[in-house]
Amino acid sequence: MSEAKFPTVAVLGAGTMGAGIAQVCAQAGSSVVLQDVTDEFVQRGLARIRDFLQKGVDKGKTTVEQRDAVLSRITTTTDRAGAARGAQLVIEAVPEQLALKNGIFRELAAVVAPDCVLASNTSSLSLAKVFAGVAGPARCIGMHFFNPVPLMALLELVRTDATSAPVIDAVTAYGRQLGKEPILVKDSPGFASSRLGVCLGLEAIRMLESGVASAEDIDKAMVLGYGHPMGPLKLTDLVGLDVRLAIADYLAQELDHPGFRAPELMRRMVAEGKLGKKSGQGFYRW
Ligand code: CAA
């Protein structure tokens, strides 16, 4: 294995995305510090990584040695500043709240080395706002991963007006070491992936709401008719209805386009705790 472009990486947030990101960074040879606010969250993230690697062993895709080597490169903590201090790259994957993300980067900019790259996994928020007031805006970039992170080939890199070319080059090279194909997108609402993907998902929910077809048949239309690996309703279940609702509300506000208005059915399901796969019930029972 060639040396990882970023030998030490801090991943902030040990949820679905953070755990997946920590895993692929460790697979690429980086030492990874996975941080979350409680030990319970961190342990849950680590268990997710362990499960994925074990399934890989069971499928014959991963050797026991590879599993153990990846796990040995991941340490965990609840100390955010401590996690970031020795890293050359910090990847933030905390909930999609602008003030939370911005506060974290402002705090960490003072703690990390001046050339430490600061990256956010936000799936739609303005990177200019996420990094507003952060010292060293040239080192700030969006690194948008896709769920399930270890299996999805895309890495969407989002540059602000301030992101430097060397930072884009370094993160692009690292993305390839992670086994991803990077694309480069300008900081704009929903970037390339969420703007298209969320629009399709919301329209599918509107169609279900107005009785056009069943969830299964709407999904089949896209899977069998358009070659999508998964239909838009099942995918919304996988991502989480709450996550997609937050993105939809944000995009409806930023882009003057009725396609981003969240359907009532979606709001009702989120209010009832039907969040998709993670809650056991969404458009499907999991
Ligand atoms: N370890 C190693 N390999 C594994 C593995 C594991 N634990 N689990 C699965 N794999 C491998 C399989 O062996 C298989 O490999 P081959 O292709 O070589 O046979 C491959 O990964 C696919 O796995 P499966 O056959 O089990 O599953 P699948 O074919 O049904 O694919 C999927 C699963 C990749 C999730 C596919 O359904 C898919 O691409 N779905 C769409 C997902 C998507 O769109 N995600 C984006 C969501 S949006 C987002 O994330 C952005 C956001 O901001 C919220």
Side-chain angles (χ1 to χ4, degrees):
M1 186 189 292
S2 61
E3 201 183 316
K5 187 95 195 158
F6 296 102
T8 306
V9 177
V11 178
L12 312 178
T16 308
M17 298 305 288
I21 294 167
Q23 181 186 326
V24 294
C25 292
Q27 284 174 185
S30 298
S31 293
V32 179
V33 188
L34 178 61
Q35 180 272 343
D36 211 319
V37 289
T38 69
D39 195 49
E40 188 198 337
F41 290 169
V42 163
Q43 291 311 323
R44 212 184 290 160
L46 196 56
R48 189 187 288 273
I49 297 171
R50 249 192 235 112
D51 283 357
F52 188 94
L53 292 170
Q54 186 53 48
K55 278 195 193 118
V57 172
D58 298 344
K59 284 172 183 280
K61 293 259 164 157
T62 307
T63 65
V64 168
E65 292 73 25
Q66 284 168 332
R67 176 198 67 193
D68 293 347
V70 171
L71 288 172
S72 75
R73 285 195 281 273
I74 302 174
T75 53
T76 58
T77 182
T78 54
D79 174 8
R80 188 152 53 214
R85 197 165 283 122
Q88 294 87 40
L89 169 66
V90 173
I91 307 177
E92 163 277 312
V94 306
E96 289 284 275
Q97 295 159 19
L98 185 56
L100 175 66
K101 288 177 191 275
N102 183 243
I104 288 173
F105 283 119
R106 281 172 182 247
E107 169 204 322
L108 292 185
V111 170
V112 296
D115 58 351
C116 173
V117 174
L118 299 176
S120 173
N121 177 54
T122 181
S123 52
S124 63
L125 297 176
S126 152
L127 270 308
K129 290 182 187 162
V130 167
F131 293 121
V134 174
R139 59 182 169 161
C140 298
I141 191 163
M143 283 179 87
H144 182 204
F145 290 83
F146 295 82
N147 181 17
V149 178
L151 300 184
M152 299 303 286
L154 182 64
L155 174 61
E156 186 172 45
L157 299 180
V158 186
R159 60 172 173 83
T160 71
D161 290 342
T163 311
S164 75
V167 165
I168 295 172
D169 290 347
V171 174
T172 300
Y174 188 58
R176 297 219 165 92
Q177 288 186 328
L178 301 181
K180 307 295 176 203
E181 186 56 44
I183 60 169
L184 184 61
V185 180
K186 186 175 88 157
D187 186 18
S188 54
F191 319 134
S193 61
S194 298
R195 187 161 167 178
L196 288 171
V198 170
C199 201
L200 184 70
L202 294 175
E203 198 56 31
I205 300 169
R206 264 188 280 279
M207 287 162 63
L208 179 68
E209 195 169 36
S210 58
V212 171
S214 66
E216 288 80 1
D217 283 354
I218 291 169
D219 277 350
K220 270 189 200 162
M222 288 297 102
V223 173
L224 302 180
Y226 278 69
H228 290 192
M230 192 181 260
L233 296 169
K234 190 174 260 184
L235 183 58
T236 303
D237 269 5
L238 179 75
V239 171
L241 273 78
D242 54 335
V243 173
R244 280 216 145 169
L245 177 59
I247 300 174
D249 282 343
Y250 177 75
L251 292 181
Q253 185 191 307
E254 295 291 314
L255 297 164
D256 187 20
H257 186 307
F260 292 106
R261 269 183 227 135
E264 266 320 298
L265 174 63
M266 186 183 208
R267 285 195 195 285
R268 200 165 60 240
M269 287 174 70
V270 170
E272 289 168 357
K274 294 176 183 162
L275 306 181
K277 187 176 180 185
K278 63 185 165 192
S279 72
Q281 173 76 60
F283 300 107
Y284 295 85
R285 193 169 281 286
W286 293 81

